[in-house]
Amino acid sequence: MRKQDKDRNGKPEALLWLDFETTGTDRNDSLPLEVGMECTDVLGEHSYGSLRRIIRPDYLDLLDGSAHDDCVDAVANAVEEYLDSLSQRFTLVPAGTNVDFDIDFPKRLDLAPDRWLSYRKFDLTTLRRYLRFIDCPEDPYEGHRGSHRVRDCIRRDINDYIRYRTLLKKTW
């Protein structure tokens, strides 16, 4: 582990890739539908585990068998347990596309993300825009179509991050 990968408390930093799929783009009015998180080392090469949950609104009563592990309270509990476990070992740096948007949604689950997450963030949107500004020969937005499921979005972000690291190494 490289020296710069540890914080002042001696815990290694890890990237917490997060994605919330929602009913819209307005943070205040949109409802969370699905949450996904994956924790990796700072290079994005080793996974320390992931969490994915569908979120069923409390007012929706499904017949034929929801185990009620998808209601808002159950999902919030799962997220809390996941973050509690990881934050004991790592300083969690939130990462992904539009990180500020996604960080707001744990608050909507009555959680306090500042309790677990570093104030530092790694937003791939900034890196993608930077690559465009320096006239990178590769289009950083290529291949950004998909299912809009958290698993696919997080996997795309991690793969893009690894690819961008390689691109930037070549230019420096």
Side-chain angles (χ1 to χ4, degrees):
M1 181 175 313
R2 298 179 318 223
K3 185 177 179 182
Q4 69 269 22
D5 296 341
K6 290 193 176 190
D7 75 356
R8 290 181 295 202
N9 297 324
K11 292 192 287 185
E13 287 187 328
L15 297 176
L16 181 70
W17 300 91
L18 28 123
D19 186 46
F20 274 78
E21 294 302 330
T22 65
T23 58
T25 57
D26 185 320
R27 297 178 212 221
N28 298 316
D29 293 329
S30 300
L31 296 174
L33 298 172
E34 185 179 20
V35 58
M37 299 180 182
E38 183 166 349
C39 185
T40 69
D41 65 358
V42 294
L43 298 177
E45 295 173 346
H46 178 75
S47 177
Y48 300 119
S50 62
L51 172 116
R52 288 171 188 83
R53 295 287 190 275
I54 300 290
I55 302 171
R56 178 181 48 82
D58 288 330
Y59 61 83
L60 182 61
D61 185 21
L62 299 174
L63 301 173
D64 296 337
S66 172
H68 295 289
D69 59 354
D70 57 357
C71 71
V72 173
D73 289 341
V75 172
N77 286 338
V79 168
E80 185 173 29
E81 288 175 10
Y82 177 73
L83 293 174
D84 276 344
S85 171
L86 289 170
S87 66
Q88 291 174 27
R89 297 176 17 210
F90 302 107
T91 297
L92 299 173
V93 177
T97 298
N98 298 319
V99 175
D100 283 324
F101 180 83
D102 290 323
I103 286 176
D104 274 354
F105 281 91
K107 295 173 188 172
R108 301 277 302 279
L109 299 176
D110 290 327
L111 299 174
D114 293 343
R115 181 172 140 200
W116 302 285
L117 304 180
S118 170
Y119 67 92
R120 291 184 165 93
K121 301 172 197 137
F122 190 81
D123 195 320
L124 283 178
T125 303
T126 303
L127 187 52
R128 289 180 183 117
R129 292 182 57 80
Y130 175 70
L131 289 169
R132 278 200 161 166
F133 294 158
I134 63 169
D135 294 325
C136 181
E138 186 173 326
D139 181 359
Y141 290 98
E142 184 180 340
H144 280 222
R145 294 162 250 333
S147 67
H148 286 289
R149 298 299 302 267
V150 295
R151 180 182 314 266
D152 296 335
C153 292
I154 290 172
R155 182 54 29 211
R156 180 202 64 214
D157 284 350
I158 294 170
N159 290 338
D160 281 357
Y161 171 62
I162 292 169
R163 191 172 83 242
Y164 300 157
R165 281 187 22 246
T166 303
L167 267 172
L168 290 171
K169 276 185 178 180
K170 288 179 186 177
T171 62
W172 296 31

